[in-house]
Structure formats: C-alpha cells, structure tokens
Amino acid sequence: MKKIIITIDGYSSCGKSTLAKQVAKQLNYVFVDSGAMYRAVTYYFIKNNLNWELAEDVTNALGKISLAFEYNYENGTSDILLNGENVENEIREMYVNDKVSEVAVIKEIREFTVAEQQKNSVSKGIVMDGRDIGTVVFPNAELKIFLTADPEERVERRYNQLLHLGKSVDREEIKKNLEKRDYIDTHREVSPLKKADDAITLDNTDLTTTEQLEIVLGWANEKINN
Ligand code: CDP
C-alpha cells in the first residue's frame, strides 16, 4: 500500500502530538515529535550553562548533540534520547517551556533539527508534528493539517497534561507561557509558524480525540488510496 507523509502544524497545546501519535498508531506509521528535538536542544544548553545567543556556544553544542527517538509500538509512545539518555520527562519541565522558543529562533539550530527531521522521510509512512513541518521540512507532504483550538481550551489541556505528568503548575503561568511562545513562534525570521497554503485547517475545540482521529484518518485514507 502507498505510504505518505502527514504533517500536523499549529500553536502550542492544540493537541498536535496526541493526534499525531494516534494517527501513526492506526496507520502503523512512525511518529516524530519535532518539538521534542527543540526541547532536548534547549535542555542541553541549560544543563551545560551554554548561551544560544553566542555563535561559539551554538557551534560547540551542535557538534556534541546527537538526537534519536525510542519508539514503543505497543503503547504508541516515542521518547527522545539526547546523546543516548532518555530526557522525555525533563524536557516537559517549565524551565524548558520557558526558553525553548528563544532557542528555536536560532538559524543554525533550526538547520540542525530540520536536517535531522528530513532524514526520517527516506522511507515515508511518517506523521510529524511541529510548527514548520508542512512549510519547510516536508513541503511536498501528501497530507498537511493545521490544527487550532480556542486559547482557553489549550490552557486547560496543557494544565491537565502537566498535572498528569506530576508537575505542579498554575493556569496563569501556563497561559503566559503559551502566549509568549505563540508570539515568538509566529514572529521569528526563520521559518515562522504559519499555515501552509495547501494545509487543511482543523479546529478541534469541540472535538473529542476519537472524533478528530476519525476525521484525519478519513483524509489520510483518501490520499493513500488515490
Ligand atoms: O507541546 P507544545 O505544543 O507546547 O510545543 P512543542 O511542539 O513541544 O514545541 C516546543 C517549541 O519548539 C515551540 O514553541 C517552538 O518554539 C519550537 N518548535 C519549532 O520552532 N519548530 C517545530 N517544528 C517544533 C517546535
């Protein structure tokens, strides 16, 4: 059967990763969380006291960072490995949330992560979520989705996600962080977040995860069978 590339872009906390994971599981595709790569790079800079605004530190760090994913096909998870260490939990901490969008504006860092993401396209059958996947990473993807949801709903979803991960946060802090990251992500010079011309917008504010999955699987099967 034909294998395709599916891209899911959108603002923070719209449920992109949840949707991407479910679609990948149903189609038996590989799921790649591109945001986890920016988060892992950010974590590396913070842990090693490096400054992403210093060219020397960026070159130094990128020469030492190796990123990989560890897939668990049974439960549909994909954990990011930073130089072989599973940092999936650490990269969701608020101190990483706080800095990741600043790190993600750096051109050399984006070139590094985009090259890593494109390596995944060799064998198609991939669902990748992020900000610039349909516009920059895979401009020729067969199915591009731009996911949106009301801001209050997004705060609520992130609050519940962090609670579930055992992290203590308050809604106001989350709201401020989402607003800040959305602003930086849409206004940066290099590959800003924007809807690709040929992407389909899906507002999932009032959809359950099952409902949104059915819609997207319908679109995917159309592309696969054509
Ligand atoms: O999970 P959430 O939607 O909050 O964010 P994420 O997908 O984990 O991405 C974290 C941050 O990485 C974003 O706010 C962007 O600044 C950056 N990012 C990016 O610039 N390009 C991507 N393809 C993915 C993430």
Side-chain angles (χ1 to χ4, degrees):
M1 200 186 291
K2 182 168 106 184
K3 291 202 165 187
I4 62 170
I5 295 181
I6 302 172
T7 65
I8 304 177
D9 287 303
Y11 299 98
S12 294
S13 299
C14 286
K16 299 182 299 291
S17 298
T18 304
L19 174 62
K21 264 183 218 165
Q22 290 177 324
V23 173
K25 195 169 178 207
Q26 288 295 320
L27 297 176
N28 226 345
Y29 279 20
V30 168
F31 155 63
V32 181
D33 176 355
S34 71
M37 295 174 149
Y38 291 95
R39 287 172 178 274
V41 170
T42 304
Y43 175 77
Y44 183 91
F45 273 87
I46 296 173
K47 282 289 150 185
N48 292 286
N49 278 317
L50 295 169
N51 182 349
W52 48 88
E53 285 173 350
L54 283 182
E56 196 189 325
D57 280 8
V58 171
T59 310
N60 206 339
L62 295 181
K64 295 205 178 104
I65 292 176
S66 128
L67 299 175
F69 285 96
E70 191 171 66
Y71 300 106
N72 180 326
Y73 290 98
E74 288 275 290
N75 58 21
T77 57
S78 118
D79 289 357
I80 190 148
L81 306 182
L82 169 65
N83 296 333
E85 184 198 346
N86 187 325
V87 292
E88 185 61 34
N89 188 39
E90 284 79 5
I91 61 163
R92 311 286 158 192
E93 293 289 348
M94 216 54 200
Y95 70 88
V96 176
N97 277 335
D98 206 35
K99 297 293 174 205
V100 60
S101 293
E102 292 170 32
V103 172
V105 303
I106 308 295
K107 187 167 156 273
E108 290 73 17
I109 293 177
R110 299 203 71 82
E111 283 166 1
F112 173 83
T113 46
V114 167
E116 288 294 310
Q117 290 151 16
Q118 288 170 337
K119 280 186 198 160
N120 287 287
S121 71
V122 180
S123 59
K124 291 228 177 174
I126 170 169
V127 187
M128 192 178 293
D129 79 303
R131 305 291 186 286
D132 57 343
I133 312 304
T135 51
V136 174
V137 181
F138 297 130
N140 298 323
E142 287 85 351
L143 177 60
K144 299 181 185 180
I145 295 161
F146 192 81
L147 205 59
T148 66
D150 284 354
E152 305 86 71
E153 178 63 24
R154 293 164 50 206
V155 171
E156 212 47 37
R157 287 178 188 171
R158 182 51 45 101
Y159 178 79
N160 287 325
Q161 181 198 19
L162 292 174
L163 215 59
H164 186 73
L165 291 173
K167 304 190 192 298
S168 68
V169 278
D170 70 55
R171 287 186 174 81
E172 202 45 42
E173 193 185 357
I174 294 174
K175 185 166 177 270
K176 283 207 183 100
N177 178 259
L178 295 187
E179 283 169 357
K180 177 178 127 183
R181 282 199 288 134
D182 286 350
Y183 183 85
I184 300 176
D185 291 347
T186 46
H187 288 79
R188 69 178 173 229
E189 211 168 295
V190 189
S191 45
L193 165 64
K194 64 170 195 263
K195 180 183 165 297
D197 291 339
D198 51 351
I200 312 172
T201 299
L202 177 62
D203 184 333
N204 70 7
T205 308
D206 298 316
L207 295 177
T208 64
T209 48
T210 312
E211 285 165 344
Q212 73 172 358
L213 176 64
E214 276 169 18
I215 295 172
V216 173
L217 284 178
W219 292 337
N221 284 322
E222 247 173 56
K223 298 285 180 187
I224 291 168
N225 298 320
N226 263 330

